[in-house]
Amino acid sequence: MQDLKGFLDEKVEEYNQPGFITYDPISIPHLFKKRQDIEIAGFFASILAWGQRKTIISKCLELFRLMDNAPHDFLLNHQEKDLKPFLRFKHRTFNDIDTLYFIHFFAWFYRQHDSLEEAFLIGQNHSIDGMESMLKAFHEFFFSLPDAPSRTRKHIATPARKSACKRMNMFLRWMVRQDDKGVDFGIWKGIQPAQLICPCDLHVDRVARKLGLITRKQTDWQTAIELTERLREMDPNDPVKYDFALFGLGVEEKF
């Protein structure tokens, strides 16, 4: 384990650098300075993180052009006629119905709250294993509006469906983790980095299995928990920093 920790620590240092940003969906929230814009851009970028990174970034740029590159202001002040261009927005199975509900929810939410973090703290119990309850509660809250389309529920993962919740965990890493590298934002303080769960995308999953960090055959919520528990053995306070190492090994080095 010590040898593996040393190896992965080196890879974290190598990939947790500003150069990582340009070709990753995290580049989208990095276009903004305002806290709410970062949250909104990060949320959309993580949810749309499906397929080739180049395409994901292109679709996100298209979406925020429709919001005049000022998402928080657009959500608070748009008129119904301003929503018409979004009827043409689509990325894979994320279509206009989904886009318009996301806009509707965020417009409703930000008229009452200052930060999206408040929506995630609904299920917070401050335990090291509190992320499951936070994600379940957030999912129910997000779809609590009367006109929530049933088809849109598939785009927000929840442990209640045994999902590994890759995109949600990635978004939370962006918002919660804080260091001096300039990649993750660390603008949320109510959730501790120790509570984060490692995003299990294809690359992370494959590399983690090769390194013996995952033994479960399927990839689900319990797999994400298993991986994170192994990573906590190497760094109990910031286990998800190893996402950089596992992802970088999978994508850049074809490990």
Side-chain angles (χ1 to χ4, degrees):
M1 180 60 80
Q2 278 302 113
D3 289 344
L4 180 57
K5 173 177 165 52
F7 171 67
L8 292 179
D9 282 340
E10 289 179 9
K11 292 300 177 183
V12 171
E13 286 297 311
E14 181 178 344
Y15 291 116
N16 185 15
Q17 298 290 341
F20 176 87
I21 296 170
T22 306
Y23 304 107
D24 189 81
I26 201 174
S27 63
I28 299 300
H30 271 286
L31 296 173
F32 301 95
K33 300 297 183 187
K34 185 178 174 182
R35 176 193 180 99
Q36 292 88 351
D37 287 341
I38 291 170
E39 293 175 350
I40 296 160
F43 193 85
F44 270 108
S46 62
I47 296 301
L48 297 178
W50 183 8
Q52 293 186 335
R53 287 190 287 172
K54 184 178 179 181
T55 303
I56 295 163
I57 292 169
S58 174
K59 294 305 291 188
C60 288
L61 292 174
E62 175 188 339
L63 178 65
F64 291 114
R65 279 195 298 269
L66 296 177
M67 299 184 191
D68 300 319
N69 291 313
H72 185 241
D73 183 68
F74 177 87
L75 291 168
L76 293 182
N77 300 303
H78 70 273
Q79 305 296 314
E80 190 170 348
K81 62 182 174 59
D82 299 323
L83 298 175
K84 190 173 180 181
F86 294 92
L87 295 174
R88 298 189 296 272
F89 183 80
K90 187 177 188 297
H91 175 58
R92 298 227 172 190
T93 66
F94 193 92
N95 67 13
D96 56 321
I97 295 172
D98 309 315
T99 307
L100 290 174
Y101 181 73
F102 273 48
I103 290 172
H104 177 51
F105 173 83
F106 282 129
W108 169 80
F109 179 84
Y110 278 108
R111 288 184 181 119
Q112 304 172 71
H113 302 276
D114 187 54
S115 170
L116 186 58
E117 182 180 20
E118 296 172 52
F120 283 89
L121 293 178
I122 293 170
Q124 169 73 290
N125 60 21
H126 299 288
S127 76
I128 195 69
D129 300 318
M131 188 54 66
E132 182 170 345
S133 65
M134 278 189 274
L135 289 178
K136 285 179 177 178
F138 174 78
H139 183 273
E140 291 310 308
F141 179 65
F142 192 88
F143 294 105
S144 63
L145 301 187
D147 55 350
S150 57
R151 63 151 282 122
T152 305
R153 283 182 168 263
K154 67 185 178 185
H155 293 297
I156 305 289
T158 170
R161 295 199 298 255
K162 297 184 172 23
S163 170
C165 300
K166 178 201 82 170
R167 296 177 184 87
M168 299 302 292
N169 287 324
M170 181 173 69
F171 170 68
L172 288 166
R173 194 205 86 198
W174 295 352
M175 296 299 107
V176 173
R177 275 202 77 254
Q178 184 175 25
D179 54 30
D180 59 357
K181 304 300 184 181
V183 182
D184 292 329
F185 292 90
I187 56 176
W188 289 4
K189 306 304 180 185
I191 302 170
Q192 298 304 308
Q195 293 180 294
L196 294 173
I197 301 297
C198 190
C200 275
D201 77 345
L202 283 171
H203 305 289
V204 170
D205 186 270
R206 177 169 53 82
V207 174
R209 290 180 187 280
K210 287 194 173 186
L211 294 175
L213 296 171
I214 295 174
T215 59
R216 286 175 63 81
K217 291 184 179 179
Q218 66 269 52
T219 300
D220 56 14
W221 179 251
Q222 287 305 316
T223 307
I225 294 294
E226 178 188 15
L227 172 58
T228 305
E229 286 177 349
R230 295 299 306 279
L231 299 179
R232 282 179 183 146
E233 293 173 19
M234 293 184 272
D235 189 335
N237 296 317
D238 188 16
V240 176
K241 73 180 185 184
Y242 292 109
D243 183 29
F244 285 104
L246 299 173
F247 182 81
L249 285 165
V251 173
E252 304 296 337
E253 304 188 30
K254 306 285 191 293
F255 184 82

